[in-house]
Amino acid sequence: MFLRAIGRPLLAKVKQTTGIVGLDVVPNARAVLIDLYSKTLKEIQAVPEDEGYRKAVESFTRQRLNVCKEEEDWEMIEKRLGCGQVEELIEEARDELTLIGKMIGSYSRCLYRLRTIGI
């Protein structure tokens, strides 16, 4: 039991490079992804429930978050998701959070305009 708890992280494969210029290895990629996906699910709640964008984001984010929680090894996360390297997934998740903020702003401006014209 002790060896499993202590030895597993020591025996885990360490990624040396992503092989992509400008994309550095993230040693704690799993933890970063879990955090980003959790934030995404929280932030997307501000988008109206009936919006297709919200439904799509919630669906793929939940699926990716579940894989990250189930797998501890970055290689297995990459293999199960089939969407590139964990570092690429981190960039995608950060971009999605930025986009959610823009979408929320867009909805707010749209609602304001509709209210000012009486709709």
Side-chain angles (χ1 to χ4, degrees), residues 50-69:
D50 59 340
E51 288 296 325
Y53 172 68
R54 175 176 170 170
K55 291 175 184 177
V57 169
E58 283 179 328
S59 175
F60 76 75
T61 302
R62 277 194 190 104
Q63 188 259 340
R64 290 178 179 191
L65 178 60
N66 288 337
V67 169
C68 289
K69 286 181 175 180

Side-chain angles (χ1 to χ4, degrees), residues 19-94:
I20 301 172
V21 175
L23 188 61
D24 295 329
V25 171
V26 178
N28 61 334
R30 178 180 176 264
V32 171
L33 283 169
I34 289 172
D35 181 56
L36 287 169
Y37 291 147
S38 297
K39 285 179 183 176
T40 298
L41 290 173
K42 181 180 176 188
E43 293 293 320
I44 198 68
Q45 298 303 308
V47 175
E49 280 186 50
D50 59 340
E51 288 296 325
Y53 172 68
R54 175 176 170 170
K55 291 175 184 177
V57 169
E58 283 179 328
S59 175
F60 76 75
T61 302
R62 277 194 190 104
Q63 188 259 340
R64 290 178 179 191
L65 178 60
N66 288 337
V67 169
C68 289
K69 286 181 175 180
E70 292 168 7
E71 300 293 345
E72 292 189 25
D73 180 36
W74 59 268
E75 286 183 315
M76 287 304 300
I77 292 170
E78 290 177 356
K79 184 177 180 180
R80 283 191 55 195
L81 292 178
C83 296
Q85 298 182 45
V86 287
E87 291 80 6
E88 292 174 292
L89 293 170
I90 289 170
E91 287 203 348
E92 281 181 18
R94 287 181 178 147

